[in-house]
Amino acid sequence: MGTYSTNEFRGGLKLMIDGDPCSIIDNEFVKPGKGQAFCRVKLRNLKSGKVYERTYKSGESVEAADVMDTEMQFLYSDGEQWHFMEPESFEQHAVSETAMAETAKWLKGQEECLVTLWNGVPLSVAAPNFVELAVTDTDPGVRGDTSGGGGKPATLETGAVVRVPLFVNIDDLLKVDTRTGEYVSRVKN
Amino acid sequence: MLCDDWRPTAPIENIRLRAELLAKTRQFFAARDVLEVETPLLSVATVSDPHLQSFVTRYNGPGLPPDTPLYLQTSPEAAMKRLLAAGSSSIYQICKAFRDGEYGARHNPEFTMLEWYRVGFDHFTLMDEVEALVKMLLDLDCEFERVSYQVIFERYLGLDPHRASLDDLMRCANDSGVFTDLNEIEIGRDGWLDLLMSHLIEPHLGLAAPLFIYDYPASQAVLAKVRPGEVALAERFELYVTGVELANGYHELCDGDEFSRRFERDTLQRKKDEGFVPRINRRLNTALEAGLPESAGVALGFDRLLMLAAGCDSINGVVNFTVANA
């Protein structure tokens, strides 16, 4: 099994901590001018979804988690589990609610997602960086306002709520960045 | 798509701010009759501090044996002390310093340091001068707070840093939510104090007003004088502003024999940690034996000062090209 030195730490790197696979969310280099250097790491336990911090001595090595990222297509949700399919083998995987965490609210079906497998079990799912979704509810649009300043909340067809410019109307199709949860632009229907 | 990584990470107004604060700093020292000096960035020897990693390059040409390793300075301390020993009187320098392995929101392996030495000062009179300079550069009018290392640990952790056992320190970290697999041998007692300080105390320091911490454990004296007593204390200080460590100063160690002993201890530590020892500055040792005048000195991270002046959370907002796109 491979290891990573703290110098290789970056967001998204997968480590084995106390027997569980974890993903690095954030890594902070901490060093007093005259003293020991540390890496203060924020991690997500990929099994439980729990977020916690851990401190390493700078230069220390940590066991890598044997995880694999695979492109899969989202098929449907049965209310308890989310079903994905590998495009080459047509093999299907059922993903738990915990593993869907922040991703569920961006998916309506057919999307190509990056599914992280650990020992063949799906641990987490990343939505495509950009999705296009229709607005189902928002305050009436303000004609002529194209500045985008201010803004208002809008509910999308998947239930996600994003901040949008005042000119956006119900039924508009929007492009959204799923990494930041921010509105990008309107898309012509 | 056109690659955008040729652009500076710092906005132009922060590049201007740097020029402005550098000019104000030079005026400050000119008005106080402190001499600006320059010393070499490259030297055949480097610092003994086990926590600092030097960059090394090689020289081929007249003057030195072929392929001589030359170290980039981690600070101008050694060369400036040689000037002091030679009778320069009070001096300051604004220069680049280099430290391998240090990169993050507050670190870049190449950074700008303001370092100065005041003959006849002790660490308290030097704190007064640091306060005057930082107030002027950051446009502050509040009094800076001064708290000993012991009191700051008592205030935030309810722990006496000089008398607490190693077990107490480890338990305190764990109880406060700092989790690690490190054991006591790996980083030692001072490593655990550093961990508590950097994780649990530092973020609170200097929020209402900038704060000096002084009287460090003797084991963290580096090149500061140690004052004997029931608990021996290092006459060293650090300045914190809104959770950022900004400056580190000493009432300078002048005793050549004591210097040799600390030097020896660092060398042993490095041999243990890294298996080798870089060539260390023998000429500084000789200068101290020749006699360093009673003085106090301080090093201030100029990029961090700019971060505070500009309200930046990251050093790449004030350094136009950090190592990631230099």
Side-chain angles (χ1 to χ4, degrees), chain A residues 7 17-18 28-40 52-58 60, chain B residues 49 51-52 99 101-103 107 178-182 186-187 191 194-195 198-199 236 245 248 250:
Chain A
N7 293 333
I17 315 277
D18 301 334
E28 192 189 350
F29 178 77
V30 180
K31 185 183 186 302
K34 304 283 174 190
Q36 178 65 51
F38 299 104
C39 283
R40 193 174 185 181
Y52 58 96
E53 281 192 1
R54 194 88 175 201
T55 293
Y56 296 94
K57 185 170 105 165
S58 185
E60 201 179 340
Chain B
D49 190 328
H51 295 301
L52 296 180
R99 296 180 182 181
E102 302 192 4
Y103 182 62
H107 294 84
V178 178
F179 300 116
T180 155
D181 296 328
L182 294 169
E186 269 177 277
I187 55 173
D194 285 341
L195 183 125
S198 58
H199 286 61
R236 173 184 157 197
E245 180 197 355
N248 174 58
Y250 306 142

Short mmCIF file of all heavy atoms in Angstrom, two decimals, chain A residues 7 17-18 28-40 52-58 60, chain B residues 49 51-52 99 101-103 107 178-182 186-187 191 194-195 198-199 236 245 248 250:
data_model
loop_
_atom_site.label_atom_id
_atom_site.label_comp_id
_atom_site.label_asym_id
_atom_site.label_seq_id
_atom_site.Cartn_x
_atom_site.Cartn_y
_atom_site.Cartn_z
N ASN A 7 3.84 16.76 2.22
CA ASN A 7 4.13 17.71 1.13
C ASN A 7 3.23 17.49 -0.08
O ASN A 7 3.09 18.38 -0.92
CB ASN A 7 5.59 17.61 0.70
CG ASN A 7 6.53 18.08 1.78
OD1 ASN A 7 6.16 18.91 2.61
ND2 ASN A 7 7.73 17.54 1.80
N ILE A 17 -7.34 6.70 7.50
CA ILE A 17 -7.14 7.18 8.86
C ILE A 17 -7.92 6.27 9.80
O ILE A 17 -9.14 6.13 9.66
CB ILE A 17 -7.66 8.63 9.03
CG1 ILE A 17 -7.21 9.52 7.87
CG2 ILE A 17 -7.26 9.20 10.39
CD1 ILE A 17 -5.86 10.11 7.96
N ASP A 18 -7.23 5.67 10.76
CA ASP A 18 -7.84 4.74 11.71
C ASP A 18 -8.72 3.70 10.99
O ASP A 18 -9.83 3.41 11.42
CB ASP A 18 -8.71 5.50 12.74
CG ASP A 18 -7.88 6.51 13.53
OD1 ASP A 18 -6.66 6.30 13.66
OD2 ASP A 18 -8.46 7.51 14.00
N GLU A 28 -3.69 23.04 5.93
CA GLU A 28 -3.07 24.30 6.34
C GLU A 28 -1.66 24.03 6.85
O GLU A 28 -1.47 23.16 7.70
CB GLU A 28 -3.92 24.94 7.44
CG GLU A 28 -3.57 26.36 7.76
CD GLU A 28 -4.30 26.86 9.00
OE1 GLU A 28 -5.22 26.17 9.49
OE2 GLU A 28 -3.94 27.93 9.50
N PHE A 29 -0.67 24.74 6.31
CA PHE A 29 0.71 24.61 6.77
C PHE A 29 0.90 25.57 7.94
O PHE A 29 0.69 26.76 7.80
CB PHE A 29 1.66 24.95 5.63
CG PHE A 29 3.12 24.90 5.99
CD1 PHE A 29 3.77 23.68 6.11
CD2 PHE A 29 3.83 26.07 6.22
CE1 PHE A 29 5.12 23.64 6.44
CE2 PHE A 29 5.18 26.03 6.55
CZ PHE A 29 5.82 24.80 6.66
N VAL A 30 1.26 25.03 9.11
CA VAL A 30 1.40 25.85 10.32
C VAL A 30 2.83 25.74 10.81
O VAL A 30 3.31 24.64 11.06
CB VAL A 30 0.46 25.34 11.44
CG1 VAL A 30 0.60 26.18 12.69
CG2 VAL A 30 -0.98 25.32 10.97
N LYS A 31 3.52 26.88 10.92
CA LYS A 31 4.88 26.80 11.44
C LYS A 31 5.27 28.07 12.17
O LYS A 31 5.26 29.14 11.60
CB LYS A 31 5.87 26.58 10.31
CG LYS A 31 7.29 26.38 10.82
CD LYS A 31 8.30 26.23 9.73
CE LYS A 31 9.67 25.88 10.30
NZ LYS A 31 10.16 26.88 11.26
N PRO A 32 5.60 27.92 13.47
CA PRO A 32 6.15 29.08 14.17
C PRO A 32 7.52 29.39 13.56
O PRO A 32 8.22 28.47 13.11
CB PRO A 32 6.29 28.60 15.61
CG PRO A 32 5.73 27.22 15.68
CD PRO A 32 5.61 26.71 14.29
N GLY A 33 7.90 30.66 13.51
CA GLY A 33 9.19 31.05 12.93
C GLY A 33 10.33 30.24 13.52
O GLY A 33 11.24 29.82 12.82
N LYS A 34 10.28 30.02 14.82
CA LYS A 34 11.31 29.23 15.49
C LYS A 34 10.65 28.02 16.10
O LYS A 34 10.35 28.00 17.29
CB LYS A 34 11.98 30.05 16.61
CG LYS A 34 12.56 31.36 16.16
CD LYS A 34 13.87 31.14 15.45
CE LYS A 34 14.38 32.45 14.85
NZ LYS A 34 15.53 32.21 13.97
N GLY A 35 10.34 27.01 15.34
CA GLY A 35 9.73 25.85 15.97
C GLY A 35 9.27 24.83 14.97
O GLY A 35 9.52 24.93 13.76
N GLN A 36 8.57 23.83 15.48
CA GLN A 36 8.13 22.68 14.71
C GLN A 36 7.08 23.05 13.66
O GLN A 36 6.16 23.80 13.96
CB GLN A 36 7.55 21.66 15.71
CG GLN A 36 7.01 20.40 15.09
CD GLN A 36 8.10 19.59 14.41
OE1 GLN A 36 9.13 19.29 15.00
NE2 GLN A 36 7.88 19.26 13.15
N ALA A 37 7.21 22.51 12.45
CA ALA A 37 6.21 22.72 11.39
C ALA A 37 5.16 21.61 11.42
O ALA A 37 5.50 20.45 11.62
CB ALA A 37 6.90 22.74 10.03
N PHE A 38 3.90 21.98 11.25
CA PHE A 38 2.80 21.02 11.25
C PHE A 38 1.94 21.20 10.01
O PHE A 38 1.91 22.28 9.43
CB PHE A 38 1.89 21.24 12.46
CG PHE A 38 2.56 21.06 13.79
CD1 PHE A 38 2.92 22.16 14.55
CD2 PHE A 38 2.84 19.79 14.28
CE1 PHE A 38 3.54 22.01 15.78
CE2 PHE A 38 3.46 19.62 15.51
CZ PHE A 38 3.81 20.74 16.26
N CYS A 39 1.20 20.13 9.65
CA CYS A 39 0.13 20.26 8.68
C CYS A 39 -1.17 20.00 9.42
O CYS A 39 -1.35 18.94 10.03
CB CYS A 39 0.28 19.24 7.56
SG CYS A 39 1.53 19.76 6.41
N ARG A 40 -2.04 20.98 9.37
CA ARG A 40 -3.33 20.86 10.03
C ARG A 40 -4.35 20.57 8.94
O ARG A 40 -4.60 21.41 8.08
CB ARG A 40 -3.63 22.19 10.72
CG ARG A 40 -4.75 22.11 11.67
CD ARG A 40 -4.87 23.43 12.40
NE ARG A 40 -5.89 23.30 13.43
CZ ARG A 40 -6.24 24.28 14.22
NH1 ARG A 40 -5.66 25.45 14.12
NH2 ARG A 40 -7.17 24.09 15.12
N TYR A 52 -13.62 16.12 10.30
CA TYR A 52 -12.82 16.38 11.48
C TYR A 52 -11.43 16.85 11.10
O TYR A 52 -11.06 16.84 9.94
CB TYR A 52 -12.76 15.15 12.39
CG TYR A 52 -12.21 13.90 11.76
CD1 TYR A 52 -10.87 13.57 11.92
CD2 TYR A 52 -13.02 13.07 11.00
CE1 TYR A 52 -10.35 12.42 11.33
CE2 TYR A 52 -12.51 11.92 10.41
CZ TYR A 52 -11.17 11.61 10.59
OH TYR A 52 -10.67 10.49 10.00
N GLU A 53 -10.67 17.28 12.12
CA GLU A 53 -9.32 17.78 11.88
C GLU A 53 -8.29 16.81 12.43
O GLU A 53 -8.55 16.09 13.39
CB GLU A 53 -9.13 19.14 12.57
CG GLU A 53 -9.75 20.26 11.79
CD GLU A 53 -9.33 21.63 12.31
OE1 GLU A 53 -8.54 21.68 13.28
OE2 GLU A 53 -9.78 22.62 11.74
N ARG A 54 -7.12 16.86 11.81
CA ARG A 54 -6.04 16.00 12.26
C ARG A 54 -4.74 16.78 12.02
O ARG A 54 -4.63 17.48 11.03
CB ARG A 54 -6.06 14.74 11.39
CG ARG A 54 -5.23 13.66 11.91
CD ARG A 54 -6.07 12.84 12.86
NE ARG A 54 -5.29 11.70 13.29
CZ ARG A 54 -5.82 10.59 13.78
NH1 ARG A 54 -7.11 10.47 13.91
NH2 ARG A 54 -5.05 9.62 14.17
N THR A 55 -3.78 16.62 12.92
CA THR A 55 -2.51 17.33 12.77
C THR A 55 -1.37 16.37 12.53
O THR A 55 -1.25 15.36 13.22
CB THR A 55 -2.25 18.20 14.02
OG1 THR A 55 -3.23 19.23 14.06
CG2 THR A 55 -0.87 18.83 13.97
N TYR A 56 -0.54 16.67 11.54
CA TYR A 56 0.65 15.86 11.26
C TYR A 56 1.89 16.73 11.37
O TYR A 56 1.85 17.92 11.11
CB TYR A 56 0.58 15.28 9.84
CG TYR A 56 -0.57 14.31 9.68
CD1 TYR A 56 -1.80 14.74 9.19
CD2 TYR A 56 -0.43 13.00 10.10
CE1 TYR A 56 -2.86 13.86 9.08
CE2 TYR A 56 -1.50 12.11 10.00
CZ TYR A 56 -2.70 12.55 9.49
OH TYR A 56 -3.76 11.69 9.41
N LYS A 57 2.99 16.08 11.74
CA LYS A 57 4.28 16.74 11.68
C LYS A 57 4.62 16.91 10.21
O LYS A 57 4.42 15.97 9.42
CB LYS A 57 5.31 15.86 12.37
CG LYS A 57 6.68 16.46 12.50
CD LYS A 57 7.54 15.61 13.41
CE LYS A 57 8.53 14.81 12.58
NZ LYS A 57 9.62 14.24 13.37
N SER A 58 5.11 18.07 9.82
CA SER A 58 5.45 18.31 8.42
C SER A 58 6.48 17.27 7.97
O SER A 58 7.46 17.02 8.67
CB SER A 58 6.01 19.72 8.28
OG SER A 58 6.24 20.00 6.94
N GLU A 60 5.86 14.03 7.58
CA GLU A 60 5.38 12.70 7.97
C GLU A 60 4.68 12.01 6.78
O GLU A 60 4.16 12.69 5.90
CB GLU A 60 4.37 12.89 9.11
CG GLU A 60 4.13 11.67 9.99
CD GLU A 60 3.12 11.98 11.11
OE1 GLU A 60 2.91 13.16 11.43
OE2 GLU A 60 2.54 11.03 11.63
N ASP B 49 19.91 25.99 13.44
CA ASP B 49 18.55 25.72 13.94
C ASP B 49 17.94 24.47 13.27
O ASP B 49 17.76 24.43 12.06
CB ASP B 49 17.67 26.95 13.64
CG ASP B 49 16.31 26.86 14.32
OD1 ASP B 49 15.79 25.74 14.47
OD2 ASP B 49 15.78 27.93 14.68
N HIS B 51 15.01 23.46 13.04
CA HIS B 51 13.70 23.64 12.42
C HIS B 51 13.77 24.39 11.09
O HIS B 51 12.74 24.65 10.48
CB HIS B 51 12.76 24.38 13.36
CG HIS B 51 12.45 23.61 14.60
ND1 HIS B 51 11.88 22.36 14.56
CD2 HIS B 51 12.67 23.89 15.91
CE1 HIS B 51 11.74 21.91 15.79
NE2 HIS B 51 12.21 22.81 16.62
N LEU B 52 14.96 24.80 10.67
CA LEU B 52 15.08 25.56 9.42
C LEU B 52 15.86 24.76 8.39
O LEU B 52 16.93 24.24 8.68
CB LEU B 52 15.78 26.90 9.67
CG LEU B 52 15.05 27.88 10.59
CD1 LEU B 52 15.85 29.16 10.75
CD2 LEU B 52 13.67 28.20 10.05
N ARG B 99 13.66 29.66 2.88
CA ARG B 99 13.50 28.50 3.75
C ARG B 99 12.81 27.38 2.97
O ARG B 99 11.67 27.55 2.53
CB ARG B 99 12.68 28.87 4.99
CG ARG B 99 13.43 29.89 5.84
CD ARG B 99 12.68 30.31 7.07
NE ARG B 99 13.46 31.32 7.79
CZ ARG B 99 13.11 31.87 8.93
NH1 ARG B 99 11.97 31.52 9.50
NH2 ARG B 99 13.88 32.77 9.51
N GLY B 101 10.84 24.08 2.05
CA GLY B 101 9.73 23.32 2.64
C GLY B 101 8.61 24.16 3.22
O GLY B 101 7.66 23.61 3.74
N GLU B 102 8.71 25.50 3.15
CA GLU B 102 7.69 26.32 3.80
C GLU B 102 6.81 27.00 2.76
O GLU B 102 7.24 27.93 2.08
CB GLU B 102 8.36 27.37 4.71
CG GLU B 102 9.25 26.72 5.76
CD GLU B 102 9.70 27.68 6.86
OE1 GLU B 102 9.25 28.84 6.86
OE2 GLU B 102 10.50 27.25 7.70
N TYR B 103 5.58 26.52 2.63
CA TYR B 103 4.65 27.13 1.69
C TYR B 103 3.24 26.95 2.21
O TYR B 103 2.85 25.85 2.61
CB TYR B 103 4.79 26.49 0.30
CG TYR B 103 3.88 27.11 -0.73
CD1 TYR B 103 4.01 28.45 -1.06
CD2 TYR B 103 2.89 26.37 -1.34
CE1 TYR B 103 3.17 29.03 -2.00
CE2 TYR B 103 2.05 26.93 -2.29
CZ TYR B 103 2.20 28.27 -2.61
OH TYR B 103 1.37 28.85 -3.54
N HIS B 107 3.16 31.45 4.28
CA HIS B 107 4.55 31.13 4.00
C HIS B 107 4.81 31.06 2.51
O HIS B 107 3.99 30.55 1.76
CB HIS B 107 4.93 29.76 4.58
CG HIS B 107 4.89 29.70 6.08
ND1 HIS B 107 3.75 29.46 6.78
CD2 HIS B 107 5.88 29.83 7.00
CE1 HIS B 107 4.03 29.46 8.09
NE2 HIS B 107 5.31 29.68 8.25
N VAL B 178 -7.40 18.70 19.38
CA VAL B 178 -6.30 18.61 18.42
C VAL B 178 -5.85 17.16 18.38
O VAL B 178 -5.25 16.66 19.33
CB VAL B 178 -5.11 19.52 18.82
CG1 VAL B 178 -3.97 19.37 17.82
CG2 VAL B 178 -5.56 20.97 18.89
N PHE B 179 -6.19 16.46 17.29
CA PHE B 179 -5.91 15.02 17.22
C PHE B 179 -4.71 14.75 16.33
O PHE B 179 -4.58 15.33 15.26
CB PHE B 179 -7.13 14.26 16.73
CG PHE B 179 -8.31 14.46 17.64
CD1 PHE B 179 -9.45 15.11 17.19
CD2 PHE B 179 -8.25 14.04 18.97
CE1 PHE B 179 -10.52 15.31 18.04
CE2 PHE B 179 -9.33 14.24 19.81
CZ PHE B 179 -10.47 14.87 19.35
N THR B 180 -3.86 13.87 16.80
CA THR B 180 -2.64 13.57 16.08
C THR B 180 -2.15 12.19 16.51
O THR B 180 -2.51 11.70 17.58
CB THR B 180 -1.57 14.65 16.36
OG1 THR B 180 -0.30 14.08 16.18
CG2 THR B 180 -1.65 15.19 17.77
N ASP B 181 -1.34 11.57 15.65
CA ASP B 181 -0.74 10.28 16.01
C ASP B 181 0.64 10.47 16.59
O ASP B 181 1.34 9.51 16.86
CB ASP B 181 -0.61 9.38 14.76
CG ASP B 181 -1.97 9.03 14.20
OD1 ASP B 181 -2.91 8.92 15.01
OD2 ASP B 181 -2.09 8.89 12.97
N LEU B 182 1.07 11.72 16.73
CA LEU B 182 2.43 11.97 17.18
C LEU B 182 2.61 11.49 18.62
O LEU B 182 1.71 11.59 19.43
CB LEU B 182 2.73 13.47 17.13
CG LEU B 182 2.75 14.07 15.74
CD1 LEU B 182 2.78 15.58 15.83
CD2 LEU B 182 3.96 13.56 14.98
N GLU B 186 8.68 11.94 19.11
CA GLU B 186 8.82 12.47 17.77
C GLU B 186 9.07 13.98 17.73
O GLU B 186 9.84 14.45 16.92
CB GLU B 186 7.55 12.18 16.95
CG GLU B 186 7.64 10.89 16.19
CD GLU B 186 6.35 10.62 15.47
OE1 GLU B 186 5.41 10.09 16.10
OE2 GLU B 186 6.26 10.96 14.28
N ILE B 187 8.38 14.74 18.57
CA ILE B 187 8.55 16.20 18.49
C ILE B 187 9.06 16.79 19.80
O ILE B 187 9.40 17.97 19.84
CB ILE B 187 7.24 16.91 18.05
CG1 ILE B 187 6.06 16.56 18.96
CG2 ILE B 187 6.91 16.59 16.60
CD1 ILE B 187 4.81 17.39 18.65
N GLY B 191 8.08 20.68 20.96
CA GLY B 191 7.18 20.43 19.84
C GLY B 191 5.72 20.46 20.29
O GLY B 191 4.86 21.03 19.61
N ASP B 194 4.79 23.99 20.94
CA ASP B 194 4.55 24.65 19.63
C ASP B 194 3.18 24.28 19.08
O ASP B 194 2.48 25.12 18.50
CB ASP B 194 5.60 24.21 18.60
CG ASP B 194 6.96 24.88 18.82
OD1 ASP B 194 7.00 25.92 19.51
OD2 ASP B 194 7.96 24.34 18.31
N LEU B 195 2.81 23.00 19.25
CA LEU B 195 1.51 22.54 18.75
C LEU B 195 0.37 23.26 19.46
O LEU B 195 -0.56 23.77 18.83
CB LEU B 195 1.40 21.03 18.94
CG LEU B 195 0.12 20.40 18.38
CD1 LEU B 195 0.49 19.28 17.41
CD2 LEU B 195 -0.76 19.84 19.45
N SER B 198 0.43 27.02 18.37
CA SER B 198 0.00 27.34 17.01
C SER B 198 -1.46 26.96 16.75
O SER B 198 -2.13 27.62 15.97
CB SER B 198 0.91 26.64 15.99
OG SER B 198 0.90 25.25 16.19
N HIS B 199 -1.96 25.91 17.41
CA HIS B 199 -3.33 25.48 17.13
C HIS B 199 -4.37 26.14 18.02
O HIS B 199 -5.48 26.41 17.59
CB HIS B 199 -3.47 23.96 17.32
CG HIS B 199 -2.85 23.16 16.22
ND1 HIS B 199 -1.52 23.22 15.93
CD2 HIS B 199 -3.39 22.29 15.34
CE1 HIS B 199 -1.27 22.40 14.91
NE2 HIS B 199 -2.39 21.83 14.54
N ARG B 236 13.33 36.59 25.06
CA ARG B 236 12.92 36.57 23.67
C ARG B 236 11.47 37.05 23.59
O ARG B 236 10.72 36.86 24.55
CB ARG B 236 13.02 35.11 23.20
CG ARG B 236 12.49 34.85 21.83
CD ARG B 236 12.54 33.37 21.49
NE ARG B 236 11.56 33.13 20.45
CZ ARG B 236 11.09 31.95 20.11
NH1 ARG B 236 11.50 30.86 20.74
NH2 ARG B 236 10.20 31.84 19.15
N GLU B 245 1.69 35.68 13.40
CA GLU B 245 3.00 35.87 14.01
C GLU B 245 3.79 36.80 13.09
O GLU B 245 4.05 36.48 11.95
CB GLU B 245 3.70 34.51 14.11
CG GLU B 245 5.07 34.58 14.72
CD GLU B 245 5.90 33.31 14.45
OE1 GLU B 245 5.37 32.35 13.87
OE2 GLU B 245 7.08 33.32 14.80
N ASN B 248 9.93 38.34 15.63
CA ASN B 248 10.58 37.55 16.67
C ASN B 248 11.86 38.28 17.07
O ASN B 248 12.67 38.61 16.21
CB ASN B 248 10.89 36.17 16.09
CG ASN B 248 11.70 35.32 17.03
OD1 ASN B 248 11.29 35.05 18.15
ND2 ASN B 248 12.88 34.91 16.59
N TYR B 250 15.14 39.12 20.14
CA TYR B 250 15.96 38.63 21.26
C TYR B 250 16.68 39.77 21.95
O TYR B 250 17.12 40.72 21.29
CB TYR B 250 17.09 37.71 20.77
CG TYR B 250 16.70 36.56 19.92
CD1 TYR B 250 17.51 36.18 18.84
CD2 TYR B 250 15.56 35.82 20.19
CE1 TYR B 250 17.18 35.10 18.05
CE2 TYR B 250 15.23 34.73 19.39
CZ TYR B 250 16.04 34.38 18.33
OH TYR B 250 15.73 33.31 17.54
#
